[in-house]
Amino acid sequence: NAGVTQTPKFQVLKTGQSMTLQCAQDMNHEYMSWYRQDPGMGLRLIHYSVGAGITDQGEVPNGYNVSRSTTEDFPLRLLSAAPSQTSVYFCASRPAPGPSYEQYFGPGTRLTVT
Amino acid sequence: ILNVEQSPQSLHVQEGDSTNFTCSFPSSNFYALHWYRWETAKSPEALFVMTLNGDEKKKGRISATLNTKEGYSYLYIKGSQPEDSATYLCAFIRGTASKLTFGTGTRLQVTL
């Protein structure tokens, strides 16, 4: 199993550009989520999904869209990039939404918005 | 917004020292508490998932305890080794929600 994969690893955008961060998992996990990691802030939840076709907002959803058309994929779209979105983005999955399941993280995407 | 506090923020110990960190969380509507280990340039990896008051978990030299009534969990490392150097994160799930709320972590550095 590849686990949770993310592409790209690094990306530089100009303000106002849009892009999609890709996330895929091959473990048939129901639950997937996106976090951003900023210095001194820890991991903050952007959006999450409890299954294909179901998504919901996390703590910091503004400026981001998600969709979940398949169990495997959970892309994160930046609609109009802003310097405040410079961060490291982690995708994660777990077998089901239940609290006793540990979460598996992807390798991260480092995004810089100039 | 849930407050999950971790202390200390960073810790520097010598090889062979034993150490412990604290994770504090709201004691009402507790559902689960997760611990993750995060090495530099890697992704966080799960250490423990704890759901019951009084839970104690152990993996090698690392163990954790949970007190849901007072809202804290301790992570212990016995005989620290340089390979234990990492950031240790705790994450809290409240009520019937599925979302994890992470603390900002304790950064541990173990030197020879």
Side-chain angles (χ1 to χ4, degrees):
Chain A
N1 285 352
V4 181
T5 57
Q6 291 182 238
T7 56
K9 283 196 167 74
F10 302 94
Q11 183 70 49
V12 179
L13 290 179
K14 294 188 187 307
T15 297
Q17 287 184 315
S18 62
M19 81 158 293
T20 299
L21 306 186
Q22 300 292 343
C23 173
Q25 52 89 11
D26 61 358
M27 299 175 281
N28 201 31
H29 285 178
E30 289 181 18
Y31 185 94
M32 296 186 75
S33 52
W34 276 102
Y35 296 87
R36 58 178 290 172
Q37 191 258 325
D38 302 293
M41 302 291 287
L43 290 165
R44 291 185 293 168
L45 183 66
I46 305 171
H47 285 285
Y48 66 100
S49 168
V50 298
I54 306 169
T55 64
D56 206 347
Q57 296 181 350
E59 187 184 347
V60 288
N62 292 343
Y64 307 95
N65 270 359
V66 291
S67 60
R68 184 101 180 266
S69 56
T70 66
T71 299
E72 294 78 20
D73 300 298
F74 191 44
L76 179 72
R77 296 183 191 84
L78 279 71
L79 308 172
S80 177
S84 61
Q85 293 179 305
T86 293
S87 188
V88 181
Y89 292 84
F90 287 95
C91 179
S93 74
R94 57 186 208 258
S100 59
Y101 295 103
E102 65 187 48
Q103 194 146 272
Y104 296 80
F105 287 85
T109 294
R110 184 175 293 275
L111 176 68
T112 302
V113 183
T114 61
Chain B
I1 296 177
L2 300 175
N3 283 329
V4 181
E5 306 280 345
Q6 290 191 247
S7 62
Q9 194 171 5
S10 65
L11 198 52
H12 190 165
V13 303
Q14 300 289 317
E15 182 182 14
D17 288 349
S18 293
T19 187
N20 64 85
F21 333 129
T22 305
C23 172
S24 302
F25 51 86
S27 57
S28 61
N29 287 333
F30 174 85
Y31 211 17
L33 192 285
H34 293 210
W35 280 100
Y36 290 83
R37 169 193 161 89
W38 192 358
E39 291 182 70
T40 302
K42 294 188 177 180
S43 308
E45 291 185 349
L47 281 173
F48 304 116
V49 176
M50 310 176 82
T51 57
L52 297 175
N53 184 43
D55 248 356
E56 290 189 25
K57 301 272 187 177
K58 188 174 181 183
K59 187 179 287 190
R61 294 178 291 98
I62 304 177
S63 60
T65 61
L66 178 67
N67 184 323
T68 62
K69 295 188 187 311
E70 296 183 36
Y72 65 84
S73 175
Y74 293 140
L75 188 80
Y76 301 91
I77 302 179
K78 185 178 178 182
S80 302
Q81 299 296 310
E83 58 265 30
D84 295 328
S85 297
T87 296
Y88 292 83
L89 298 170
C90 69
F92 170 73
I93 299 181
R94 188 178 205 180
T96 56
S98 56
K99 300 178 282 188
L100 282 102
T101 299
F102 282 85
T104 53
T106 293
R107 184 174 179 181
L108 173 67
Q109 190 172 355
V110 183
T111 53
L112 296 170

